[in-house]
Amino acid sequence: MSSRPLAALIRRGVALTSLFALSALSPSWAQAETVPPVPPARPADLTEPPAPVVEAPRPPERPPELSGPAARSEATKPDATKTEDGPLTPPPGSPPPLPPARPAELSGEAALALTVSATDDTACRRRLERLGARFEPLPALSDGQCGAARPLKLTALGDGLAVTPPATLVCGAAEALARWAVEAQVLAERDLSRPLAGLTLGTTYLCRGQNHDPEAKLSEHAFANGIDVMAFSFSGRPDIAVASLPEGTPEAAFLAHARATACGFFRTVLGPGTDAAHGNHLHLDERERTAGHRLCQ
């Protein structure tokens, strides 16, 4: 045998012997080369079954009137606000279009008539009776924008206090007058040592503007909600007319106190010194104002 093949066989035998020796000495190295690594654990979010797919709700069926030829004819109807050339607009410089005609029921005398539901004043009338007032109901008053739905004819106040002439008033104004009269009776005894016997009245209900001005805002007299007191009568002494009296007299003191007390019962109190129109009487009314404001002059 040739020496070259023999030498090759000897070298191969030596290599195999060395490999077996290394495997015996280093088993962990040999295992690492031959055994594959263990895969990582499966994530928890991939172990559960997938969520079911929810279908979106189907739209409702199209109404019959919006389907078929009727819907197509409505869709092709020409727009009254447009023309073939674009939107229908007036040419520059043309006057603005006229507003529609005013309905007949809102024109003329019908527009002046107020249609207001009557307020239930049953509780007010009971209080008025307990105050000793004498009154009777009247038919509704109506005169254009003036009027009252449930007026009363007031003939006397508590303790037989006369009302001359009888007053045509709504219940709220009549009640305020009756309550004020109780205080006026106390003032008469204190300032004049005489009992109050009655009130002389001027205007109660009258369809007119404030201060008799036809161009002014309607007076509360136009709604039976105002009272003009002209004088006070007493037992055993002359009447006291409402006027500017000399200071320091019992009569002047009584009028001043009665006028000041009225501001606690009425929303409006005017009299001598306010203006020329109220120089000879006390005007009392129950006009409602913003935030409960009162006018006491």
Side-chain angles (χ1 to χ4, degrees), residues 86-170:
L88 182 61
T89 56
S94 61
L98 294 175
R102 188 178 184 87
E105 63 273 14
L106 298 179
S107 304
E109 292 296 328
L112 298 178
L114 295 179
T115 304
V116 181
S117 59
T119 303
D120 185 3
D121 61 353
T122 303
C124 174
R125 296 189 183 202
R126 290 175 182 168
R127 293 192 299 268
L128 200 55
E129 290 175 348
R130 288 197 294 268
L131 287 167
R134 293 198 296 270
F135 61 91
E136 60 186 66
L138 292 174
L141 301 170
S142 180
D143 184 8
Q145 289 184 303
C146 305
R150 303 190 66 184
L152 303 175
K153 181 181 180 181
L154 183 67
T155 57
L157 301 172
D159 296 331
L161 194 67
V163 176
T164 308
T168 301
L169 297 169
V170 292

Side-chain angles (χ1 to χ4, degrees), residues 273-295:
T274 301
D275 53 33
H278 298 90
N280 64 347
H281 66 276
L282 292 178
H283 171 83
L284 315 172
D285 72 45
E286 283 286 84
R287 180 189 294 272
E288 294 186 5
R289 296 182 174 85
T290 305
H293 174 66
R294 292 173 179 260
L295 180 61

Side-chain angles (χ1 to χ4, degrees), residues 70-92:
R72 289 194 294 272
S73 63
E74 187 67 23
T76 57
K77 185 181 294 184
D79 189 349
T81 63
K82 297 182 179 179
T83 65
E84 296 179 356
D85 299 327
L88 182 61
T89 56

Side-chain angles (χ1 to χ4, degrees), residues 14-242:
V14 173
L16 289 173
T17 302
S18 300
L19 179 61
F20 290 148
L22 289 174
S23 298
L25 294 174
S26 304
S28 61
W29 172 85
Q31 184 179 6
E33 288 293 323
T34 59
V35 180
V38 177
R42 187 178 183 85
D45 54 353
L46 296 180
T47 58
E48 298 188 9
V53 178
V54 180
E55 285 191 27
R58 297 177 61 81
E61 295 294 331
R62 187 175 183 85
E65 62 271 15
L66 297 182
S67 305
R72 289 194 294 272
S73 63
E74 187 67 23
T76 57
K77 185 181 294 184
D79 189 349
T81 63
K82 297 182 179 179
T83 65
E84 296 179 356
D85 299 327
L88 182 61
T89 56
S94 61
L98 294 175
R102 188 178 184 87
E105 63 273 14
L106 298 179
S107 304
E109 292 296 328
L112 298 178
L114 295 179
T115 304
V116 181
S117 59
T119 303
D120 185 3
D121 61 353
T122 303
C124 174
R125 296 189 183 202
R126 290 175 182 168
R127 293 192 299 268
L128 200 55
E129 290 175 348
R130 288 197 294 268
L131 287 167
R134 293 198 296 270
F135 61 91
E136 60 186 66
L138 292 174
L141 301 170
S142 180
D143 184 8
Q145 289 184 303
C146 305
R150 303 190 66 184
L152 303 175
K153 181 181 180 181
L154 183 67
T155 57
L157 301 172
D159 296 331
L161 194 67
V163 176
T164 308
T168 301
L169 297 169
V170 292
C171 188
E175 182 184 1
L177 183 66
R179 293 186 182 279
W180 174 61
V182 174
E183 298 297 322
Q185 183 69 273
V186 174
L187 294 173
E189 294 281 2
R190 188 192 71 183
D191 296 338
L192 302 171
S193 301
R194 292 289 186 273
L196 186 63
L199 300 176
T200 301
L201 304 183
T203 302
T204 49
Y205 172 70
L206 182 62
C207 185
R208 64 170 176 82
Q210 295 178 359
N211 300 334
H212 297 271
D213 183 354
E215 301 297 328
K217 184 177 182 180
L218 284 176
S219 168
E220 289 302 297
H221 291 297
F223 310 109
N225 198 34
I227 307 157
D228 287 346
V229 178
M230 311 303 294
F232 299 84
S233 59
F234 305 87
S235 297
R237 62 151 295 140
D239 295 353
I240 298 179
V242 177

